[in-house]
Amino acid sequence: MASNNPSSPTVKEQREAKRAEKVAVLKKQQAKEKRNRTIGIVAGALGAVAVIALVISFVVSSAVPKVDPADISISGLETFDDVPAVHVATAVDYEADYGMNPPAGGNHNQAWLNCGVYSEPQQNENAVHALEHGAVWVTYDPDALSDDEVETLRDSIPSTYMLLTPYPDLPAPVVASAWGSQVQLDGVDDPRLTDFIEKFRQSPDAPEPGAACTGAIDGPGRVS
C-alpha cells in the first residue's frame, strides 16, 4: 500500500541520494590521493635538488687541490736556522742574541702566551713559547697604522694559533713571525701575510707542533 505522506522520498530519490553520497566520498578520496601525489612529487624534487647540490659541492671542492705549504714562496722571507728552544727564567735579548726584531724563536719562558688578539705589547719570552707550539705572531707598529688598519688586521687573521699584538719600533709597519721564519710587510693589505699564515701556522716544523695555544697566560689588553 503506497504512503499518503507527500514528503516521503521515493525509491528513485533515495537511490539518487545514495549515489550522490558515494560520488562525494569518491571525489574526496580522489582529491586526497591527488594531494598526496603532489606532496610526494614536490618532496622528491626537493630531495633531488639537494642531492645534486651536494654532488656539485663535492665535485667543486674535490677539483680544487689544497696548496702544499711547502710550495708557497714568500718574497723577502727571512729564516733563522738552528734556533735554540730552552726554557729560561730570565729575560732574553733576541736582537743581540739572534738578530731578531721582533723575535721568531729562541730561548723563552716556560709559560706561553695564550693565542689571541691583544691591544697592548706582550712579553717576548711568553710569545716566543707560543711560536714553539706552532702559532704565528703578527706584530704591528702602533705609530704606523690607523685604528681602521688595526681593525682590518684583527678581521683578517684566523681565530686559532695566532697572536696579534702591537710592537713599537718595528722595522716595518707589520711583521709576521713563526718559529725560525719572519717577513716584514708593507702594510695590512700586503698579500704575503696570508701566504705566511698559510705556510707556517701549525707547521709541523715547529719544535712542539700541536701543543696547546691556550690554558697558560693571558697578557694585558686581551681583546679576543
Side-chain angles (χ1 to χ4, degrees), residues 31-42:
K32 181 179 180 180
E33 291 175 351
K34 182 178 180 181
R35 184 167 61 252
N36 290 340
R37 285 197 301 271
T38 301
I39 293 173
I41 291 172
V42 171

Side-chain angles (χ1 to χ4, degrees), residues 47-72:
V49 169
V51 170
I52 292 172
L54 287 173
V55 171
I56 292 175
S57 175
F58 174 78
V59 170
V60 170
S61 61
S62 300
V64 180
K66 291 184 177 180
V67 177
D68 185 345
D71 294 334
I72 299 176

Side-chain angles (χ1 to χ4, degrees), residues 26-123:
L26 179 61
K27 287 184 176 180
K28 184 176 181 181
Q29 183 177 358
Q30 289 175 338
K32 181 179 180 180
E33 291 175 351
K34 182 178 180 181
R35 184 167 61 252
N36 290 340
R37 285 197 301 271
T38 301
I39 293 173
I41 291 172
V42 171
L46 291 175
V49 169
V51 170
I52 292 172
L54 287 173
V55 171
I56 292 175
S57 175
F58 174 78
V59 170
V60 170
S61 61
S62 300
V64 180
K66 291 184 177 180
V67 177
D68 185 345
D71 294 334
I72 299 176
S73 178
I74 301 174
S75 175
L77 180 68
E78 185 174 8
T79 57
F80 305 90
D81 298 326
D82 301 322
V83 181
V86 178
H87 292 175
V88 296
T90 58
V92 179
D93 189 336
Y94 290 95
E95 190 164 14
D97 293 349
Y98 312 114
M100 302 172 178
N101 181 37
N107 295 340
H108 52 272
N109 192 273
Q110 64 180 356
W112 61 89
L113 178 67
N114 289 334
C115 288
V117 175
Y118 294 87
S119 63
E120 298 181 26
Q122 301 300 310
Q123 192 71 31

Side-chain angles (χ1 to χ4, degrees), residues 2-3 5-18:
S3 172
N5 187 354
S7 63
S8 298
T10 64
V11 173
K12 182 179 181 180
E13 289 173 338
Q14 289 176 354
R15 289 176 179 174
E16 290 178 350
K18 289 182 179 180

Side-chain angles (χ1 to χ4, degrees), residues 7 28 56 58 76 79 86 92 105 116 119 124 130 133 136 138 141 147 153 158 169 177 193 197 207 209 213 222:
S7 63
K28 184 176 181 181
I56 292 175
F58 174 78
T79 57
V86 178
V92 179
S119 63
N124 284 334
H133 291 185
V136 167
V138 178
D141 187 339
D147 291 342
L153 268 183
D169 301 324
S177 305
L193 174 58
I197 293 172
C213 202
R222 178 165 184 146

